[in-house]
Amino acid sequence: MRLAGPEARSIALPMLRLKHDLEPGRAIFGEFIEPCGSGAPARECSSGTSSETRTGVSAPHESTSAKQRIDEVVVSYFSKPNSYTTDEIVEISAHGSPVVLRHIVELALGRGARLAEPGEFTMRAFLNGRIDLTQAEAVQDLIESQTLYQAKIAAQQLEGALSRRLQPIKQNLIELIALLEAGIDFAEDDVSVIPAAQILEHISAIRAPLDELALSFAYGKIVHEGLTLAIVGRPNVGKSSLFNRLVERERAIVTATPGTTRDLVTETVSIEGIPVRLVDTAGIRQALDEAESIGIQKSMEALADADLVLVVLDASQPTTTEDERLMTLIKDRPAILVENKSDLRDSRIPSAVLATSPVGTKFVSPRSQAWVGERETSSLVGTSHEHASVPVTLSTSALTGDGIPNLRATILNHVVGDAGSHSESGFLTNARHQSLVRDSLTALDAAQTAVGNRVPHEMLLLDLYSALRPLDEITGATTTDDILNLIFSKFCIGK
Ligand code: GDP
């Protein structure tokens, strides 16, 4: 339980019997006690002896039976302004029984504390100027992170990575605004008006890093929200088996009867710290009954919604018209083509056929007229991937596990792309930030056009202020109550 505010100590101390006096930044072992023994509601009790009210350390002569022990606790005290919110803070850590914790909270409420609103501690940290808005949002991301990698990225942002990247851009923009303002204000006082070419150069220097930041959202969004991967194919090619292999446990029902996965089965797995939401779909074919047709409809929707599509074919059988229809459907979509049941391929397809019809050339890709062959796959893994135009073809066996590590690596490669350029951190992971960066870029576009049209500098300044405002909104310099409420209302109580 965290108590923040000027009365944090005076509320907490009568409920504590500590080994030592509270000291800033130090955790002290002690006991949590009913403030007036007997278990009577705290609000009816006096607040203890004067020595306890001061220090919380019990006098040696005092009878312990008068004060009922509720739990052993560790108490940390943070003095103003060196605390999370910059207020006086007392934190009491108990063993974690919900009953005890609720009782501790009730006793504190009885002594004059009030419950924190969702996100209120973090909001106070922001309002008191200890953190900026991107850092406050990073606290939320940190709490919600599903993988360690997401937590690390949030921690970098909490440490101010995005603000550090934005600051020089803002500074540059403010300098340009100041130059133009000076030109207008002191026109009579010999301050020369800057030439148009120089203004354009200045705007380009502001744009370039901002453009880069906007581009980083493609990767940041995936890090933040994860990615949806739909597994599609005709019935019985091994979609559920591959799903299970990727999930690493038996989640989807595997049967030998075609057309049995009629609903969507989803599971989120972490591939190198990126949450990947796998969707196992019903086999796509001409439906035999209504239930199957509903399942197929859902598969189509999942296919349409997915960030990446895994098309599964049966390596042991010749390609069917259904396979070909499916490949037309995923035309121009980021996709990976998997030839599953590779363990059966050699036994069922005569080797002569394999020799004349290599994996890479038996399907027709809409753009390249040929899927990338199995042999090229390894060279694609680990390099920057190009979406959609050339689907990577892999060979797997869900039965033996053959090719599964390569499949994971290929999925990751689709996800990360040229992540190397973003790995220095400070990239956009938040849709609110992305939309504000775009607003700023749009205003800079308008400013560039305005310079080209030789509009008066007073008008040009309006565009430049419009470019500055959204950047301020990211870090919080000009934040309205509405934005604050939106951000902090998403927090869990008390964070
Ligand atoms: P789905 O209908 O596409 O989801 O296919 P399932 O995953 O239900 O698999 C259909 C049948 O193929 C089951 O009997 C599986 O055991 C079998 N199967 C799946 N993958 C493989 C594989 O790689 N090799 C072999 N030999 N059998 C497989």
Side-chain angles (χ1 to χ4, degrees), residues 234-241 254-256 261 340-341 343-344 397-399:
R234 63 186 162 80
N236 234 25
V237 290
K239 296 181 296 299
S240 301
S241 308
V254 179
T255 70
T261 305
N340 189 43
K341 306 198 186 181
D343 54 298
L344 297 180
S397 167
L399 190 74

Side-chain angles (χ1 to χ4, degrees), residues 300-479:
M300 292 304 202
E301 287 165 14
L303 196 151
D305 289 345
D307 300 302
L308 178 62
V309 184
L310 196 70
V311 185
V312 187
L313 305 172
D314 189 332
S316 67
Q317 291 176 355
T319 336
T320 66
T321 48
E322 280 163 339
D323 291 331
E324 270 152 24
R325 260 195 33 230
L326 199 58
M327 284 186 267
T328 319
L329 273 177
I330 58 133
K331 181 171 172 266
D332 293 334
R333 300 282 309 272
I336 299 172
L337 194 65
V338 170
E339 298 209 296
N340 189 43
K341 306 198 186 181
S342 59
D343 54 298
L344 297 180
R345 183 197 285 142
D346 299 337
S347 59
R348 298 220 189 142
I349 300 178
S351 51
V353 176
L354 266 181
T356 54
S357 173
V359 176
T361 54
K362 67 178 176 177
F363 308 110
V364 177
S365 152
R367 283 207 207 149
S368 64
Q369 293 300 304
W371 299 97
V372 172
E374 197 176 347
R375 275 171 263 106
E376 286 100 334
T377 302
S378 55
S379 66
L380 280 171
V381 175
T383 64
S384 178
H385 113 96
E386 286 171 27
H387 279 312
S389 53
V390 186
V392 177
T393 304
L394 301 177
S395 181
T396 61
S397 167
L399 190 74
T400 65
D402 214 42
I404 301 297
N406 198 17
L407 175 57
R408 278 179 198 277
T410 310
I411 295 171
L412 184 69
N413 190 50
H414 267 266
V415 173
V416 175
D418 54 354
S421 60
H422 303 309
S423 58
E424 91 274 21
S425 85
F427 49 85
L428 292 181
T429 56
N430 175 311
R432 186 182 81 85
H433 301 166
Q434 159 75 351
S435 123
L436 289 166
V437 168
R438 279 186 181 284
D439 289 351
S440 182
L441 281 168
T442 309
L444 288 174
D445 280 345
Q448 279 173 324
T449 314
V451 177
N453 293 341
R454 305 201 160 277
V455 303
H457 285 183
E458 285 89 342
M459 307 293 283
L460 174 61
L461 273 166
L462 292 181
D463 289 326
L464 294 178
Y465 279 116
S466 299
L468 180 62
R469 257 190 316 273
L471 302 185
D472 274 346
E473 276 185 43
I474 295 178
T475 48
T478 53
T479 321

Side-chain angles (χ1 to χ4, degrees), residues 156-225:
Q156 278 172 358
Q157 192 152 318
L158 182 56
E159 195 242 315
L162 177 58
S163 310
R164 268 200 306 280
R165 196 163 164 186
L166 271 175
Q167 210 48 48
I169 303 175
K170 263 172 76 173
Q171 198 50 42
N172 212 349
L173 182 53
I174 290 167
E175 271 169 29
L176 179 59
I177 290 175
L179 275 174
L180 293 172
E181 290 279 18
I184 294 164
D185 290 350
F186 306 107
E188 315 86 66
D189 303 339
D190 259 12
V191 174
S192 61
V193 178
I194 333 159
Q198 199 182 325
I199 301 176
L200 284 176
E201 212 173 283
H202 209 131
I203 296 178
S204 301
I206 298 163
R207 273 206 69 127
L210 209 54
D211 264 327
E212 213 175 281
L213 197 58
L215 286 176
S216 74
F217 184 62
Y219 175 64
K221 182 172 181 277
I222 288 173
V223 171
H224 188 236
E225 295 172 15

Side-chain angles (χ1 to χ4, degrees), residues 115-129:
L115 273 183
E117 299 292 331
E120 187 172 349
F121 289 114
T122 310
M123 188 161 180
R124 289 180 73 89
F126 165 69
L127 292 175
N128 294 340

